[in-house]
C-alpha cells in the first residue's frame, strides 16, 4: 500500500464526462489498496472566465477579492469529483485549501505556502477515504483566502506530497509528459523519460507551462519525484528527478518560447554608480518582475539599460521609469511592446562550449534578428520580435537535434 498524491489539471476535469473518467481512474488506484490525496484544478477555462468577469466590473480589482473569486473555481471541481467517486462506491471527501491546512503568507495572487498542517486529512487517509483537495489556494493567518499564482495547483500537489511524505506524486495533464518543447507548438517535439530538477526549473521559469516553477523548486528541496503523465491514457510519462538519475546525456535538454513580453530601453542616462540600483529598486517595489537586463555604454559617460517585463506590467513599468527619468532630469525611454524570448536549457552546457554559437547561427540563417541575449551556466536566452517567436523556437529546437531525430550526445 502506498500513499499517492495525484493532481488533475483543468482540461482533465473540463466537463462532467472528464470528471467521471478521472473518478474511474482514481477508483482503479483505490482498489489496489492505496491511500490517495487528489488535488484538482478548476474545470477547463473557469479561472480565465472568472478573471474576465472581474475585469468587466473593475479593471483593477482588489487582490483579496480576486482571490476570493478565483478560489471558487476549484471548489466546484472538488465537490463534483467527490460526488462522482461516491457514485462509484469509493468513499471520498473534499477539502478547500484552508480546510486542508495550507497556510500561506498574505501576498494575494502569488501567495507562498508557509506550512501545511496535515492533521485534519491524515485520519481520513488512514481510514481510506479519498481526500480531494482544491488546488491553487490556501489561507493566510487571518483566514483570508489566498491563491498561489496561475497554474498553482501543481504546487499544491507537490507541497502536499512533501508534507504527507507521500510515496509518489503524479501530475496528470493533457500531454503525456514533458517534451523537448511545447508539442502543441512544435509537432516534432520528443517526450523525455526523465529530466533533472534544475533543468525543469529553468524550463518552467522560461515558459514551459507544463509545470509551475515553484512546484519544481519544492520537489527538488524535498526530494519528491514528480511523474508528469496524461489523464487521457495510461502511458508512462516523464519523471522529474535528481540529476544523477537522468540516463540520457544531452547538451540541450529543451527549448522554450515566452511571448507576451515587452522591452523597455532607458536611453542615455548618466554612467554613475547607484543609478541602476535606484531604477531596479523602484521596479521591485512596484512588484514588476524584470527578466533580461542588458546595459550598453553609449555616448560619453552615458549608458543605455534595456530590460524585458511581462507585457501586462508595462503600464506600471512605464510609470516607474518616467518617475525615475524625471528625477534624473536626463535620458529618454523607448518601448517595444511585442517581444518574445527563446531559451535553450541543459545541464550539459556546463561542460560544453559552442552552444550559443550554434543557436545564433541557426537564427541568423533564418534571418531572425537577435534583440537581446542573456546566459547562465545552464541556459541561453535570446529576445526576438514577437512575430518571429514561433519560427525562432522551431529553428532552435531543430538546431540542437531535439526533434524526432535522435538528440545529440
Ligand atoms: P493543466 O491544466 O493540466 O495544468 P497546463 O495547460 O497547465 O495543463 O499544462 C499542459 C500544457 O503545457 C500542454 O498542453 C502544453 O501545451 C504545454 N507545454 C509547454 N511546454 C511543454 C513541454 N515542454 N512539454 C509538455 N507540455 C508543454
Ligand atoms: N485554476 C488555476 C489556473 O487556471 C490553477 C491551476 O489550474 O493550476 O491558473
Ligand atoms: Mg498547469
Amino acid at each position: 500500500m502506498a500513499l499517492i498524491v495525484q493532481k488533475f489539471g483543468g482540461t482533465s476535469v473540463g466537463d462532467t464526462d472528464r470528471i467521471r473518467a478521472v473518478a474511474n481512474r482514481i477508483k482503479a488506484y483505490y482498489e489496489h489498496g492505496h491511500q490517495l490525496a487528489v488535488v484538482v484544478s478548476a474545470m477547463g477555462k473557469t479561472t480565465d472566465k472568472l478573471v474576465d468577469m472581474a475585469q468587466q466590473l473593475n479593471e483593477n480589482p482588489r487582490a483579496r477579492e480576486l482571490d476570493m473569486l478565483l478560489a471558487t473555481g476549484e471548489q466546484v471541481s472538488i465537490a463534483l469529483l467527490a460526488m462522482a467517486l461516491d457514485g462509484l462506491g469509493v468513499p471520498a471527501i473534499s477539502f478547500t485549501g484552508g480546510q486542508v491546512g495550507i497556510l500561506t503568507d498574505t501576498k494575494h495572487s502569488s501567495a507562498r505556502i508557509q506550512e501545511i498542517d496535515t492533521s485534519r486529512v491524515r485520519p481520513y487517509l488512514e481510514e481510506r477515504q479519498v481526500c480531494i483537495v482544491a488546488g491553487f489556494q490556501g489561507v493566510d493567518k487571518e483566514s483570508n483566502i489566498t491563491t498561489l499564482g496561475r497554474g498553482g495547483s501543481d504546487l499544491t500537489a507537490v507541497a502536499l506530497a512533501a508534507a504527507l511524505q507521500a510515496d509518489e506524486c503524479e501530475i496528470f495533464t493533457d500531454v503525456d509528459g514533458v517534451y523537448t518543447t511545447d508539442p502543441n507548438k512544435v509537432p516534432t517535439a520528443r517526450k523525455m523519460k526523465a529530466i533533472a530538477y534544475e533543468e525543469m526549473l529553468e524550463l518552467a521559469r522560461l515558459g514551459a507551462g507544463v509545470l509551475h516553477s515553484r512546484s519544481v523548486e519544492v520537489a527538488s528541496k524535498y526530494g519528491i519525484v514528480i511523474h508528469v503523465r496524461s489523464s487521457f491514457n495510461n502511458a508512462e510519462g516523464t519523471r522529474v528527478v535528481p540529476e544523477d538519475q537522468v540516463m540520457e546525456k544531452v547538451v540541450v535538454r529543451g527549448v522554450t518560447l515566452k511571448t507576451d513580453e515587452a522591452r523597455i530601453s532607458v536611453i542615455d542616462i548618466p554612467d554613475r554608480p547607484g543609478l541602476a540600483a535606484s531604477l531596479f529598486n523602484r521596479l521591485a517595489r512596484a512588484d514588476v518582475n524584470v527578466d533580461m537586463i542588458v546595459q550598453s555604454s553609449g555616448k560619453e559617460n552615458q549608458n543605455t539599460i534595456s530590460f524585458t517585463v511581462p507585457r501586462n506590467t508595462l503600464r506600471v513599468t512605464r510609470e516607474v521609469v518616467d518617475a525615475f527619468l524625471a528625477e534624473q532630469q536626463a535620458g529618454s525611454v523607448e518601448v517595444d511592446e511585442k517581444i518574445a524570448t527563446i531559451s535553450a536549457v541543459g545541464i550539459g552546457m556546463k561542460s560544453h562550449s559552442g552552444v550559443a554559437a550554434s543557436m545564433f547561427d541557426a537564427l541568423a540563417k533564418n534571418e531572425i534578428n537577435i534583440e537581446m541575449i542573456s546566459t547562465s551556466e545552464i541556459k541561453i536566452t535570446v529576445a526576438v520580435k514577437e512575430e518571429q517567436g514561433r519560427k525562432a523556437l522551431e529553428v532552435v529546437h531543430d538546431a540542437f537535434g531535439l526533434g524526432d531525430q535522435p538528440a545529440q550526445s
Side-chain angles (χ1 to χ4, degrees):
M1 184 186 72
L3 198 172
I4 306 176
V5 173
Q6 300 185 322
K7 177 253 168 177
F8 293 89
T11 324
S12 305
V13 293
D15 56 33
T16 46
D17 285 340
R18 288 296 312 151
I19 291 179
R20 192 173 296 113
V22 165
N24 274 309
R25 184 183 276 265
I26 294 170
K27 182 174 186 218
Y29 276 85
Y30 183 79
E31 286 171 350
H32 275 95
H34 300 308
Q35 292 180 352
L36 295 167
V38 179
V39 175
V40 273
S41 294
M43 293 169 72
K45 301 260 171 246
T46 302
T47 313
D48 290 336
K49 288 184 195 147
L50 291 170
V51 171
D52 187 55
M53 269 202 284
Q55 265 159 2
Q56 284 177 35
L57 296 170
N58 184 336
E59 255 181 48
N60 218 348
R62 274 184 206 281
R64 181 188 182 278
E65 302 313 323
L66 193 58
D67 276 359
M68 183 73 98
L69 177 70
L70 298 195
T72 62
E74 272 68 14
Q75 208 171 318
V76 171
S77 44
I78 54 171
L80 289 174
L81 182 56
M83 290 173 198
L85 280 164
D86 201 28
L88 294 173
V90 178
I93 175 166
S94 63
F95 297 97
T96 64
Q99 288 172 339
V100 88
I102 298 180
L103 182 73
T104 72
D105 62 16
T106 308
K107 200 154 187 304
H108 286 289
S109 87
S110 55
R112 288 195 161 255
I113 297 179
Q114 291 181 326
E115 194 189 313
I116 302 186
D117 173 5
T118 56
S119 60
R120 172 115 193 247
V121 278
R122 279 268 184 219
Y124 290 98
L125 288 169
E126 266 148 31
E127 64 184 46
R128 292 233 310 126
Q129 295 221 40
V130 178
C131 292
I132 319 272
V133 177
F136 171 61
Q137 57 175 263
V139 289
D140 70 5
K141 59 182 187 316
E142 256 120 52
S143 304
N144 295 300
I145 294 176
T146 55
T147 65
L148 310 176
R150 296 301 306 268
S153 300
D154 297 332
L155 175 59
T156 306
V158 174
L160 194 60
L164 289 168
Q165 297 180 302
D167 300 292
E168 271 184 74
C169 180
E170 296 181 303
I171 305 275
F172 290 93
T173 181
D174 57 1
V175 282
D176 46 13
V178 180
Y179 282 66
T180 48
T181 193
D182 186 343
N184 290 320
K185 293 195 177 121
V186 181
T188 57
R190 245 176 356 108
K191 187 173 94 183
M192 312 166 192
K193 277 202 170 72
I195 179 169
Y197 290 127
E198 207 184 339
E199 292 172 323
M200 190 65 239
L201 183 58
E202 281 294 358
L203 288 173
R205 280 188 185 139
L206 295 165
V210 63
L211 281 179
H212 190 283
S213 62
R214 264 168 39 219
S215 72
V216 186
E217 238 172 79
V218 172
S220 159
K221 184 166 170 199
Y222 294 96
I224 306 284
V225 171
I226 305 177
H227 185 188
V228 180
R229 52 192 308 200
S230 170
S231 67
F232 294 79
N233 62 46
N234 286 319
E236 275 284 297
T238 303
R239 286 189 166 75
V240 187
V241 294
E243 182 183 341
D244 58 3
Q245 289 176 27
V246 183
M247 293 305 160
E248 195 188 8
K249 301 292 174 218
V250 293
V251 178
V252 174
R253 181 80 55 197
V255 181
T256 61
L257 167 68
K258 208 190 231 182
T259 50
D260 301 327
E261 297 269 295
R263 179 180 55 171
I264 289 89
S265 298
V266 184
I267 301 166
D268 291 344
I269 49 170
D271 185 13
R272 241 192 359 246
L275 274 206
S278 160
L279 173 61
F280 289 102
N281 272 321
R282 284 164 179 264
L283 289 164
R285 280 198 301 274
D287 258 343
V288 174
N289 234 326
V290 176
D291 203 354
M292 300 171 86
I293 305 176
V294 173
Q295 173 172 296
S296 50
S297 38
K299 288 178 240 147
E300 231 168 80
N301 293 330
Q302 288 188 327
N303 279 332
T304 289
I305 301 180
S306 300
F307 55 93
T308 59
V309 295
R311 195 176 304 141
N312 61 5
T313 59
L314 191 52
R315 191 176 50 83
V316 39
T317 305
R318 271 303 297 260
E319 284 166 16
V320 171
V321 170
D322 288 344
F324 168 78
L325 291 176
E327 190 185 276
Q328 297 305 320
Q329 295 189 323
S332 59
V333 60
E334 249 175 37
V335 176
D336 188 338
E337 284 192 27
K338 294 202 166 164
I339 287 287
T341 56
I342 289 90
S343 307
V345 172
I347 288 175
M349 283 186 203
K350 285 184 188 173
S351 49
H352 273 76
S353 53
V355 181
S358 310
M359 185 162 167
F360 303 160
D361 262 352
L363 291 166
K365 281 200 192 99
N366 286 274
E367 311 223 326
I368 298 171
N369 193 44
I370 300 172
E371 310 269 328
M372 292 166 92
I373 299 168
S374 96
T375 64
S376 78
E377 225 182 4
I378 68 159
K379 71 140 210 276
I380 300 167
T381 302
V382 297
V384 303
K385 296 266 180 242
E386 191 174 72
E387 71 258 23
Q388 292 185 310
R390 271 291 182 104
K391 178 76 186 165
L393 177 69
E394 275 168 32
V395 161
V396 172
H397 188 256
D398 258 15
F400 294 114
L402 296 178
D404 282 333
Q405 67 274 40
Q408 86 282 29
S409 57

